[in-house]
Amino acid sequence: MENLIALLIAAPLLGAAVLLTGGRRLDAVGHWIGTILAAVSFVFGAILFADLLGKNAEDRTLIQHLWTWIPVEGFQADVTFRLDQLSMTFVLLITGVGSLIHLYSIGYMEHDERRRRFFGYLNLFLAAMLLLVLADNYLLLYVGWEGVGLASYLLIGFWQHKPSAATAAKKAFLVNRVGDMGLSIAIMLMFTTFGTFAFGPVLGSHEKPGLVEGASEATLTGIALMLLLAACGKSAQVPLQSWLGDAMEGPTPVSALIHAATMVTAGVYLIVRSANIFNLAPDAQLVVTVVGGVTLLFGAIVGCAKDDIKKALAGSTMSQIGYMVLAAGLGPIGYVFAIMHLVTHGFFKAGLFLGAGSVMHGMNDEVDMRKYGGLRKYMPVTFVTFGLGYLAIIGFPGLSGFFSKDKIIEAAFAKGGTEGWILGGVALLGAAITAFYMTRVMLMTFFGEKRWQPDAEGHEPHPHESPKSMTIPMIVLAFGSVFAGGFFSIGDRFLHWLEPVTGHSHGDSPVSALTVTLATMVVLVIGVAIAYAQYGRRPVPVVAPRGSLLTRAARRDLLQDDFNHVVLVRGGEHLTRSLVYVDHTLVDGVVNGTAASVGGLSGRMRKLQNGYARSYAVSMFGGAAILVAATLLMRAV
Amino acid sequence: MNPVNYLYLAALLFTIGATGVLIRRNAIVVFMCIELMLNACNLAFVAFSRMHGNLDGQIIAFFTMVVAAAEVVVGLAIIVSLFRSRHSASVDDASLMKL
Amino acid sequence: MSFPLLTATAALPAIGAIATAAVPAARRTAAKWLALLVSLATLALAIIVLVRFDPDGARYQLTESHAWIADFGVRYELGVDGIGVALLALTALLIPFIILAGWHDADPLETGSKRWRPTQGFFALILAVEAMVIISFEATDVFLFYIFFEAMLIPMYFLIGGFGDRAHAGSDEKAAAQRSYAAVKFLLYNLVGGLIMLAAVIGLYVVAGNFSLQEIAEARANGSLDMATNTERWLFLGFFFAFAVKAPLWPLHTWLPNAMGEATAPVAVLITAVVDKVGTFAMLRFCLQLFPEASKWATPAILVLAVISIIYGALLAVGQRDIKRLVAYASISHFGFIIMGIFAMTSQGQSGATLYMVNHGISTAALMLVAGFLISRRGSRLIADYGGVQKVAPVLAGTFLIGGLATLSLPGLAPFVSEFLVLVGTFARYPVIGIIATFGIVLAALYTLVLYQRTMTGPVKPEVSAMPDLRARELLVVAPLVVLLIFLGVYPKPVTDIVNPAVKSTMSDVHKKDPKPEVEAAK
């Protein structure tokens, strides 16, 4: 069975290779090749899943060793895959949502002349993402990690004739590279500490930790913090979150797949996978929760102020991943719930993005929500599926988000002590803001009066429902958004499934589960009510009002970009410019100066050779005289 | 007469010759001055020969005369050909070695 | 006596160079084909060497030894170890691509131009460089090595000064002036280095009494040749200085951007991917083997210089406006990594450094040659003159991106393996230096992606709108390099297998053992 694991990756990789090197001949069928290979990968995933289910909980780990990758004295990296419950969960999410989004893209990218290439990149992404979650050591994970970064770079910049898209792509890659630096240092630390960076020997299992037990807490904290830096980059957590908003320059299916459902959750995967390291480094765990908590609020606040529907959703993604990171930082209390929220979020956020894409498709690619309004009449399917996703994300009772988010808030309180109260409070506050901004998106888009106007050339948008290839994936994802949470939670199915890998403890909550649920409901209602008062009862102005200081700051991503621009970009420009100057004048100057002074000296010496026989005679007589004088002097002495 | 006086005379002649070489521009004069220096040396040699009572100095003087004669042949030839090409016998006009 | 295989690998291109130069001027194309065939035959010989080489056998294999200048103990001694054979193969591999890429670089200029461009000379000089570089990788006699280390400057000088890039800003005269400045700078820098090395070579002879690397290294190892500490240090510095100029290490680097900027792209590849490798190779072979104690003594200072090279080269690359100078500064950064790996004195570092030499050769060749194709189309080296090329010439842009990604060491491509090994090897002994060097990977992404963004993306500039995509000949150059980059990124084992035993010997030369992991795996 384990021989199938490589095929999971091979199928989309083959697709990418064929589509990217195939040339124009494949233009007509390229999208189908891509979609079918994604589906093939999903089928392999399903077969493996069935196989795992047939085994005992303890035996559900498959290892496939392919070849020795880097063999050097004392250093060994293998191409080995590990399929356990955690990676299985991701495989199903990635290939499942991935296949749906491939299908959706067929319709969405229909009029793009480079559609074949788009599918090639999507397949490349799938392969890299699967490699990321299936790798059995950190270095191989790193390959997938940067592979998804590359795919993300290519897809954000897919419409690269737009300078904004090219810049956004570059920014995403660069910010991620800062995170990658963390991963790279973490691997180096592991190597010097343990002599290996394979999951098995280093991490062990949650009952029986591996080499990590022998290491000092300081080292482990160092490794954990570096892993966190990596996770911050990939999962758009503060302080490396600035790329995600810009990444919305990419086509919408990309935003749905990469920047909502899968790639951005890789950071959470990394933390949960490295649970045994974090468990032994409580200081690092605290930092993880702080990062998660801050990002949760940061993303939510940004999401409240954006008028661009995709950027509002991007803020929301950031905030939801903040929840997951927060949960992952809680340790064994939270790991399972982090992953559960990750999966349900994968469904509803992908659905929301596809819905947004569908709206844009019908609105001539308009993204400003202030120019929507009343769309529910024109796009019923989109409205219903988007609405279900909306209810799921705000945590409407019974839907997916309710189960998963509620558990995280509970777990945050269960952390205990002041810490628990603060984290729980932040999570609750986040839930309220989520309810506010998502209601705002919903109201501005689908309710109220129509606010669109003819564009500069006089074309008025004619909102219409999207084709079947687009609505079917939305419907499937809406099903997931509605039922996944309940399915997972009934009888703690998800908990039992994942527990053998991550471990689980209940913690000691100062408040009962019921209280938490009630409190969540209350803040939810408050959030929805405020949003309704602001955007439902009053008409939405087409031109954004100036807004308060906070609103204006939030529109500019809470000024992080401005900070980056002033400190990093400007500072960097000055640094490089002055270094270029230094290299030219100082380093090169020393050399050229030496050359010039030698030249100058020779120039002066040359003047002695004036060609007059008499002056040569003078020097001869002078020399002779000096010689005679010297001889006499020597004799006298 | 004291032979040392001949040495003084030789030194005087040599100095006159050397000064002439250094400050005159006419190649013929320069050439004559060189001859003057050579003959000053000859005088010194002969004087030394007399002072020391052997013939070495006188023999050297003959050598010098032979060399001087050869030099005159070559030197005059150079000067004549220089004069032909430049219509001048000034040594400063022949500064081809200057860059 | 067996067939002198190593001599043949160097003699073939040398004879080829003479033959190419002798082709009459009218038969220009024949000269090109001759050069290409000779380089391919050399590659075939190199492959035979590679096959005949047994990684687990003796340290130096396929050895040849003949008396040469008996009075001074100079011998004609050749032999390759794993490191030498890898670089020999790299050189033989790259030359055909360089020749093919430079197919039209030395064609006579359009009528009316007075400048004379001997086409055959261009290809003959490339083959001459190949011969000298190959023999430098093979020589196990210090004097023999020195001769060819210096001699290769002469053909390089003519290649840089005589066959410049046709794309330049300003007049012909200005370009010629810049070119001769670059060529003279290249020559002077390397001559000064060589001169100091010559003094050290003579000093070594005075101390050791012969020039044989193996004899001296053996005598040093078993203690029969004792050097005073100071003597060893001075000799080491003499050798190291020459290699550091060639490599080039900060602050001796400024000749490289000029030389690479003014030369044609294939010659720039020849400089950075082939000739400069002799410098780093010689550090591993001569500095560490002959002067182990002095090498250890100088390690901290060299590591600091290497790290400065990494960061400084990358920062300057960000600030460049000229595509080729940008690649040159990127190379300076990469050479910093190689030198850091060598002097980290760990197995990972040194294996990584050797691998890095090979991978850097391939990746720079890919990036620089595509950049050359790009420049030849538009006639400008300035980044600002391009924009939107991706839309017009997607294959060119795609290969350019792959070359760029290799330069920024994307995992999955060959340079990542070597860069990570170097970093991990350095980090194991010198954590702080390792971490600072890691910043280089962010800067590498910055300069590569900025270059790509400014040239390839955005609105199509009118000047590039008619730009043709890669032609068959150009694709033939780039495609194999790209395939190699991916293959060696996924499966570097063939190279590491050859390199590892040689690195092990080098490590034992300097009496260094890898640091043990803090937590023993024996648990």
Side-chain angles (χ1 to χ4, degrees):
Chain A
M1 241 331 150
E2 51 267 19
N3 293 338
L4 275 184
I5 301 176
L7 293 179
L8 278 174
I9 300 174
L13 195 60
L14 175 74
V18 168
L19 292 175
L20 293 179
T21 57
R24 301 223 166 82
R25 277 155 292 169
L26 291 176
D27 273 354
V29 290
H31 46 284
W32 285 113
I33 297 179
T35 310
I36 288 169
L37 284 170
V40 165
S41 188
F42 177 68
V43 172
F44 284 134
I47 295 172
L48 283 164
F49 181 55
D51 182 60
L52 283 197
L53 282 182
K55 296 185 182 196
N56 289 332
E58 306 80 54
D59 304 332
R60 284 175 180 163
T61 301
L62 299 179
I63 304 279
Q64 182 185 15
H65 175 78
L66 283 186
W67 67 82
T68 302
W69 179 27
I70 312 179
V72 173
E73 189 79 21
F75 178 101
Q76 173 133 0
D78 290 340
V79 178
T80 306
F81 301 130
R82 164 185 291 255
L83 185 76
D84 57 12
Q85 291 93 324
L86 183 59
S87 31
M88 192 70 240
T89 312
F90 272 89
V91 166
L92 290 177
L93 178 73
I94 295 160
T95 53
V97 176
S99 303
L100 289 173
I101 286 172
H102 273 75
L103 187 62
Y104 178 91
S105 306
I106 294 177
Y108 190 84
M109 299 298 285
E110 199 174 355
H111 305 296
D112 197 301
E113 53 175 356
R114 291 160 71 231
R115 180 163 66 164
R116 168 181 58 84
R117 190 179 285 263
F118 180 80
F119 276 86
Y121 292 159
L122 274 189
N123 271 358
L124 179 68
F125 168 75
L126 279 193
M129 189 71 204
L130 287 168
L131 179 63
L132 195 166
V133 297
L134 287 170
D136 187 40
N137 61 60
Y138 281 98
L139 199 62
L140 193 59
L141 181 146
Y142 192 16
V143 177
W145 190 264
E146 287 235 14
V148 291
L150 170 67
S152 156
Y153 169 78
L154 293 169
L155 286 165
I156 295 172
F158 186 72
W159 289 317
Q160 46 179 259
H161 51 273
K162 287 199 299 186
S164 58
T167 309
K170 182 187 69 185
K171 183 176 177 186
F173 197 94
L174 280 176
V175 176
N176 268 296
R177 266 261 152 159
V178 176
D180 296 347
M181 216 177 86
L183 186 52
S184 166
I185 294 175
I187 299 174
M188 294 193 277
L189 259 172
M190 281 184 217
F191 175 73
T192 51
T193 316
F194 310 122
T196 171
F197 36 77
F199 289 159
V202 172
L203 300 172
S205 67
H206 79 94
E207 293 114 355
K208 198 172 161 305
L211 293 166
V212 284
E213 273 200 324
S216 69
E217 194 181 315
T219 315
L220 289 175
T221 307
I223 295 175
L225 286 178
M226 285 298 122
L227 289 175
L228 176 65
L229 180 65
C232 282
K234 195 69 48 191
S235 295
Q237 299 294 293
V238 174
L240 298 179
Q241 85 296 353
S242 64
W243 63 273
L244 187 61
D246 294 332
M248 297 300 127
E249 287 288 340
T252 311
V254 172
S255 312
L257 177 61
I258 301 186
H259 305 118
T262 54
M263 184 189 86
V264 285
T265 57
V268 183
Y269 170 79
L270 185 69
I271 296 175
V272 174
R273 175 58 82 192
S274 316
N276 277 350
I277 296 175
F278 282 89
N279 289 346
L280 293 171
D283 293 345
Q285 278 186 317
L286 181 65
V287 181
V288 175
T289 52
V290 170
V291 166
V294 168
T295 312
L296 186 170
L297 293 179
F298 187 104
I301 292 170
V302 170
C304 292
K306 293 283 184 185
D307 289 329
D308 177 327
I309 185 168
K310 285 178 74 181
K311 292 202 170 166
L313 289 177
S316 155
T317 304
M318 213 185 275
S319 165
Q320 297 300 314
I321 297 172
Y323 270 108
M324 301 170 208
V325 170
L326 172 72
L330 296 172
I333 321 171
Y335 291 135
V336 173
F337 303 128
I339 299 298
M340 189 159 110
H341 192 55
L342 190 157
V343 175
T344 57
H345 174 257
F347 286 121
F348 56 67
K349 189 50 70 59
L352 286 170
F353 264 111
L354 293 190
S358 173
V359 170
M360 286 161 58
H361 195 71
M363 295 290 290
N364 292 354
D365 286 331
E366 178 61 61
V367 289
D368 188 351
M369 291 191 289
R370 292 186 185 276
K371 295 184 182 153
Y372 293 165
L375 286 175
R376 66 182 184 283
K377 284 176 291 206
Y378 301 91
M379 308 178 172
V381 182
T382 307
F383 168 61
V384 172
T385 52
F386 195 92
L388 289 173
Y390 155 72
L391 291 177
I393 193 174
I394 63 170
F396 190 80
L399 272 66
S400 289
F402 167 76
F403 291 103
S404 52
K405 200 191 288 177
D406 199 45
K407 290 282 189 199
I408 291 180
I409 299 174
E410 248 176 65
F413 279 112
K415 176 82 182 171
T418 332
E419 235 178 290
W421 283 105
I422 295 174
L423 293 175
V426 166
L428 267 182
L429 181 60
I433 307 179
T434 308
F436 172 79
Y437 67 75
M438 280 314 298
T439 312
R440 174 175 174 268
V441 169
M442 197 68 197
L443 290 174
M444 284 174 88
T445 308
F446 291 102
F447 293 87
E449 293 302 308
K450 75 166 196 147
R451 293 186 297 274
W452 61 85
Q453 283 141 1
D455 60 14
E457 290 145 33
H459 300 299
E460 189 168 343
H462 296 287
H464 55 85
E465 192 51 87
S466 300
K468 282 255 159 38
S469 68
M470 287 169 69
T471 49
I472 289 171
M474 283 153 61
I475 294 168
V476 176
L477 288 171
F479 263 95
S481 321
V482 175
F483 300 113
F487 178 77
F488 290 156
S489 295
I490 292 166
D492 283 340
R493 280 202 188 103
F494 200 76
L495 182 62
H496 293 311
W497 161 253
L498 217 52
E499 199 188 352
V501 183
T502 59
H504 184 69
S505 74
H506 281 285
D508 185 19
S509 184
V511 278
S512 72
L514 192 63
T515 324
V516 171
T517 310
L518 283 179
T520 316
M521 286 305 108
V522 171
V523 299
L524 191 158
V525 171
I526 294 173
V528 172
I530 297 175
Y532 181 72
Q534 244 184 315
Y535 299 96
R537 294 188 17 192
R538 287 183 291 189
V540 180
V542 175
V543 177
R546 196 172 139 77
S548 67
L549 202 63
L550 179 66
T551 315
R552 272 178 285 149
R555 277 192 197 128
R556 304 186 59 123
D557 298 316
L558 294 178
L559 303 181
Q560 226 244 320
D561 272 346
D562 303 76
F563 174 81
N564 284 351
H565 191 75
V566 171
V567 176
L568 297 176
V569 180
R570 284 264 163 273
E573 273 172 9
H574 283 298
L575 179 67
T576 52
R577 241 179 254 149
S578 43
L579 272 181
V580 169
Y581 180 76
V582 164
D583 197 55
H584 193 72
T585 50
L586 210 71
V587 182
D588 228 11
V590 169
V591 177
N592 286 341
T594 315
S597 51
V598 170
L601 194 64
S602 326
R604 247 164 253 151
M605 301 277 280
R606 203 175 69 182
K607 293 218 173 100
L608 290 176
Q609 310 293 316
N610 56 11
Y612 294 122
R614 287 180 299 126
S615 75
Y616 298 146
V618 170
S619 26
M620 272 168 67
F621 279 116
I626 290 169
L627 275 179
V628 170
T631 320
L632 290 179
L633 214 64
M634 292 300 283
R635 214 176 266 176
V637 176
Chain B
M1 202 168 118
N2 188 355
V4 177
N5 290 337
Y6 292 98
L7 289 183
Y8 290 137
L9 178 62
L12 194 66
L13 286 175
F14 190 89
T15 312
I16 293 168
T19 316
V21 168
L22 293 182
I23 62 173
R24 296 304 296 266
R25 294 185 189 187
N26 190 315
I28 303 288
V29 178
V30 169
F31 206 65
M32 282 157 55
C33 290
I34 293 173
E35 289 300 314
L36 198 58
M37 284 156 71
L38 284 168
N39 284 316
C41 294
N42 275 348
L43 185 59
F45 278 127
V46 175
F48 283 131
S49 170
R50 175 82 185 172
M51 283 160 74
H52 294 292
N54 61 19
L55 289 178
D56 290 1
Q58 299 194 23
I59 289 167
I60 298 265
F62 280 112
F63 272 107
T64 313
M65 281 177 208
V66 173
V67 171
E71 189 221 332
V72 168
V73 173
V74 177
L76 274 178
I78 292 175
I79 291 171
V80 168
S81 65
L82 199 69
F83 185 77
R84 275 192 190 150
S85 68
R86 308 215 159 205
H87 302 288
S88 142
S90 164
V91 286
D92 284 5
D93 284 349
S95 57
L96 275 175
M97 280 171 71
K98 190 170 77 173
L99 268 169
Chain C
M1 204 184 85
S2 61
F3 180 71
L5 198 53
L6 290 186
T7 304
T9 53
L12 185 62
I15 296 167
I18 296 167
T20 309
V23 175
R27 313 283 304 274
R28 199 177 300 119
T29 317
K32 294 178 184 178
W33 280 104
L34 179 64
L36 183 62
L37 286 178
V38 168
S39 67
L40 286 173
T42 312
L43 176 60
L45 277 180
I47 291 172
I48 296 175
V49 171
L50 206 57
V51 173
R52 293 267 301 276
F53 183 82
D54 172 19
D56 303 315
R59 179 165 187 180
Y60 292 102
Q61 295 179 28
L62 305 168
T63 49
E64 295 167 31
S65 182
H66 304 281
W68 184 23
I69 312 176
D71 291 343
F72 298 110
V74 178
R75 296 183 66 80
Y76 177 79
E77 270 189 351
L78 300 183
V80 281
D81 61 355
I83 300 168
V85 90
L87 291 171
L88 172 71
L90 171 76
T91 306
L93 175 79
L94 286 180
I95 299 291
F97 293 119
I98 289 172
I99 289 177
L100 206 53
W103 203 248
H104 295 301
D105 280 2
D107 285 356
L109 296 174
E110 47 291 328
T111 43
S113 172
K114 282 195 189 126
R115 283 196 46 231
W116 176 67
R117 288 163 69 99
T119 310
Q120 312 87 323
F122 181 73
F123 294 98
L125 287 172
I126 291 178
L127 287 178
V129 172
E130 180 182 20
M132 293 177 187
V133 169
I134 285 181
I135 210 154
S136 309
F137 288 139
E138 292 168 346
T140 54
D141 184 280
V142 179
F143 195 79
L144 184 67
F145 171 83
Y146 171 77
I147 288 175
F148 287 100
F149 182 78
E150 285 292 273
M152 73 179 81
L153 298 180
I154 295 158
M156 282 314 302
Y157 171 79
F158 286 112
L159 279 173
I160 298 168
F163 301 89
D165 201 327
R166 274 187 239 190
H168 51 74
S171 60
D172 265 353
E173 288 75 32
K174 203 176 149 201
Q178 282 177 355
R179 201 157 50 234
S180 75
Y181 173 73
V184 169
K185 199 171 178 184
F186 163 81
L187 193 69
L188 283 182
Y189 257 93
N190 284 285
L191 275 180
V192 169
L195 198 68
I196 293 175
M197 181 181 166
L198 178 63
V201 168
I202 295 168
L204 181 70
Y205 178 71
V206 171
V207 176
N210 66 51
F211 288 110
S212 167
L213 172 71
Q214 279 168 277
E215 274 181 43
I216 300 174
E218 204 174 299
R220 300 243 41 206
N222 64 26
S224 60
L225 172 61
D226 222 15
M227 274 189 212
T229 316
N230 275 333
T231 318
E232 187 184 344
R233 287 177 185 177
W234 281 112
L235 292 179
F236 168 82
L237 287 178
F239 276 80
F240 183 79
F241 184 81
F243 304 149
V245 169
K246 187 84 101 190
L249 183 67
W250 187 90
L252 305 169
H253 63 276
T254 54
W255 65 269
L256 187 69
N258 285 93
M260 280 177 74
E262 298 305 324
T264 59
V267 173
V269 172
L270 192 66
I271 298 171
T272 182
V274 177
V275 171
D276 287 355
K277 295 296 173 340
V278 181
T280 44
F281 162 81
M283 287 181 195
L284 256 178
R285 174 168 275 183
F286 296 101
C287 286
L288 295 193
Q289 280 199 46
L290 294 174
F291 317 108
E293 294 310 317
S295 302
K296 283 190 268 186
W297 162 75
T299 294
I302 292 171
L303 284 178
V304 168
L305 290 180
V307 153
I308 293 177
S309 280
I310 293 172
I311 302 295
Y312 185 88
L315 279 174
L316 265 102
V318 177
Q320 294 303 312
R321 281 177 293 181
D322 174 327
I323 298 175
K324 286 160 81 185
R325 288 179 68 93
L326 188 150
V327 180
Y329 277 106
S331 283
I332 291 169
S333 180
H334 289 142
F335 279 109
F337 273 108
I338 296 175
I339 296 172
M340 189 174 86
I342 293 173
F343 283 90
M345 308 271 182
T346 53
S347 305
Q348 300 88 38
Q350 293 188 346
S351 290
T354 312
L355 209 54
Y356 210 127
M357 291 184 221
V358 176
N359 293 338
H360 172 257
I362 301 170
S363 71
T364 307
L367 181 64
M368 193 66 175
L369 291 179
V370 180
F373 300 148
L374 180 73
I375 290 167
S376 69
R377 281 165 165 68
R378 167 77 173 79
S380 165
R381 293 175 356 213
L382 295 180
I383 297 172
D385 284 345
Y386 296 87
V389 175
Q390 204 278 338
K391 194 137 183 85
V392 192
V395 179
L396 191 153
T399 48
F400 191 68
L401 181 63
I402 295 177
L405 292 174
T407 304
L408 64 77
S409 299
L410 187 86
L413 297 177
F416 168 73
V417 177
S418 41
E419 190 163 302
F420 193 80
L421 281 174
V422 166
L423 282 174
V424 95
T426 311
F427 185 86
R429 218 185 273 285
Y430 306 96
V432 177
I433 287 185
I435 288 173
I436 299 174
T438 314
F439 279 93
I441 70 172
V442 180
L443 294 173
L446 185 61
Y447 61 70
T448 311
L449 295 184
V450 168
L451 173 65
Y452 183 79
Q453 187 192 354
R454 296 212 177 130
T455 51
M456 298 296 170
T457 71
V460 182
K461 287 221 170 157
E463 295 88 349
V464 304
S465 58
M467 189 177 274
D469 211 335
L470 286 189
R471 301 185 179 89
R473 168 181 65 89
E474 296 165 334
L475 205 57
L476 191 63
V477 172
V478 181
L481 293 175
V482 168
V483 170
L484 259 178
L485 280 176
I486 296 174
F487 177 76
L488 288 180
V490 180
Y491 194 63
K493 197 163 177 290
V495 186
T496 53
D497 279 352
I498 293 176
V499 168
N500 284 345
V503 165
K504 211 170 173 178
S505 322
T506 313
M507 285 288 288
S508 72
D509 284 335
V510 290
H511 314 292
K512 278 273 189 182
K513 286 208 172 60
D514 289 330
K516 284 259 179 290
E518 283 169 35
V519 183
E520 279 301 325
K523 200 190 96 166

